[in-house]
Amino acid sequence: MSALTLDKPPTPADAPSRHRDTGRLLRTVLRRLGTALFVLLCTATVSFFLVRLSGDPVKILLPPDATAHQESVLRASLGLDRPLFTQYLEYLWGLPRLDLGDSLVYGQPVSEILADRLPATIELAAAALAVTLVIAIPAGIFAAMRRGRRSDHTVMTGVLLGQSTPPFWVGILLILVFAVWLHALPASGYGTFANLVLPAVTLAVYSVAVVARLLRSSLIDVLSSDHIRSSRAKGFGPLKVVLRHGLRNASLPVVTVIGLEVGNLLGGAILTERVFSWPGVGQLTVEAISNRDFPLVQATVLFFAATFVVVNLLVDLSYSFLDPRVRTSR
């Protein structure tokens, strides 16, 4: 009878509980989506007005000896002679249709220019994320298992250096060593695996340090809990205990940081792409700011903001699957 009782199917009384959980999750998703849209609207508004404080793009597009009539004609052709609020409303009207306007410099739709540059940035960020996970997770586990020993101090020293060294300095140092002295890898360029190595490593250095340090700290807390001591008492080896029991319980803060680091990798690509002449959105952003290309600057800023918002939303929703306590509390 006890076996039958344990194996009995769910009763109809369990259905309201499942419906409540589904309703909580749906309300959470809708609330997070509303917050995300509000953040993107604020970002679009602030970027629209701030970028116009940088100066008049007509002064850059025309030669220094251009007449006032030529400036007024060009300003009218670009739509910059209209009231600022009218330009703002037109910009907001185009956002739901992904109509970000035309570039003042290239004369092409901004969405097409972004689409051309986006694959290079995604490739660089994905490679940097792969480097981060491959190095940071084993390093964090190793340091947690060797807590207080010399090897732990060595790993944490490397983490401290990674967090305190500016990425552009890391890039210059890697170029000096591997491109100038050893002639092993190219200093710039795009299209081959060799071109990707140095930028990906440069972009990943800070993220490796952050993830490894947090994973070590989280694992140390988990490994001192009662259920881990019970697993050890059953005769499980240290590595098996960490991989099967400790890593899952320590994954919640680590997943949060990894999600944030995805946004940081895309946003941090601006300096890295500049150092290595990588033809991505980061390099495009610098060019757009230098040229006072208002629509292009607005689009790149909105792209980076949307990346952070979407990643944070996905990380927040992933809590429900990693920790049932989060799911039931909503």
Side-chain angles (χ1 to χ4, degrees):
M1 290 297 293
S2 62
L4 293 176
T5 303
L6 291 175
D7 296 336
K8 68 178 182 178
T11 63
D14 297 329
S17 177
R18 290 196 298 269
H19 288 309
R20 285 195 297 271
D21 291 343
T22 303
R24 290 194 193 99
L25 182 60
L26 181 60
R27 287 193 298 272
T28 300
V29 172
L30 293 177
R31 186 167 60 250
R32 295 294 187 272
L33 285 175
T35 304
L37 292 177
F38 177 74
V39 170
L40 292 179
L41 176 62
C42 293
T43 302
T45 301
V46 172
S47 64
F48 178 88
F49 289 103
L50 282 184
V51 73
R52 279 158 175 77
L53 298 178
S54 61
D56 189 358
V58 174
K59 301 292 185 180
I60 296 179
L61 296 174
L62 289 177
D65 57 348
T67 63
H69 176 69
Q70 290 174 323
E71 291 181 2
S72 62
V73 170
L74 179 59
R75 190 173 290 106
S77 66
L78 297 176
L80 300 176
D81 60 332
R82 294 172 299 169
L84 186 60
F85 191 68
T86 302
Q87 299 179 44
Y88 172 67
L89 292 180
E90 182 178 349
Y91 172 59
L92 291 185
W93 177 253
L95 288 181
R97 298 177 284 113
L98 296 182
D99 181 9
L100 304 176
D102 295 335
S103 169
L104 303 182
V105 175
Y106 299 101
Q108 297 176 293
V110 169
S111 56
E112 294 182 3
I113 300 175
L114 271 180
D116 291 339
R117 297 291 191 99
L118 188 56
T121 295
I122 293 178
E123 179 183 352
L124 177 58
L129 180 62
V131 172
T132 299
L133 298 179
V134 167
I135 298 177
I137 293 179
I141 295 175
F142 178 76
M145 295 179 64
R146 309 283 294 180
R147 179 187 181 186
R149 303 183 186 180
R150 180 176 299 178
S151 52
D152 177 29
H153 295 318
T154 302
V155 172
M156 296 312 295
T157 300
V159 165
L160 181 61
L161 290 174
Q163 284 189 287
S164 58
T165 306
F168 70 88
W169 173 249
V170 175
I172 294 174
L173 188 61
L174 291 178
I175 290 175
L176 181 63
V177 174
F178 291 98
V180 178
W181 292 350
L182 300 179
H183 302 285
L185 294 169
S188 62
Y190 174 72
T192 66
F193 178 77
N195 296 124
L196 181 61
V197 173
L198 293 184
V201 172
T202 299
L203 192 57
V205 167
Y206 181 81
S207 298
V208 167
V210 171
V211 174
R213 184 175 184 178
L214 181 63
L215 180 58
R216 173 189 177 274
S217 176
S218 184
L219 269 177
I220 288 175
D221 291 339
V222 171
L223 292 178
S224 61
S225 59
D226 293 336
H227 74 281
I228 296 296
R229 285 195 290 266
S230 300
S231 299
R232 287 172 175 168
K234 293 177 182 178
F236 293 134
L239 184 59
K240 188 175 183 180
V241 169
V242 170
L243 296 180
R244 290 190 57 180
H245 303 282
L247 196 57
R248 177 178 176 85
N249 294 328
S251 63
L252 192 61
V254 177
V255 168
T256 303
V257 170
I258 290 176
L260 295 175
E261 286 305 307
V262 171
N264 289 333
L265 290 175
L266 288 168
I270 294 178
L271 291 176
T272 304
E273 288 181 5
R274 189 65 172 174
V275 171
F276 291 94
S277 300
W278 190 265
V281 179
Q283 178 83 341
L284 181 66
T285 303
V286 176
E287 296 172 358
I289 294 174
S290 301
N291 295 326
R292 296 176 188 169
D293 195 337
F294 295 163
L296 199 51
V297 174
Q298 294 162 191
T300 55
V301 170
L302 194 60
F303 163 75
F304 291 124
T307 300
F308 274 99
V309 168
V310 170
V311 169
N312 286 338
L313 177 63
L314 294 177
V315 169
D316 189 36
L317 295 179
S318 70
Y319 287 174
S320 301
F321 301 97
L322 292 172
D323 193 342
R325 295 170 298 179
V326 178
R327 180 166 60 248
T328 56
S329 64
R330 286 175 172 174

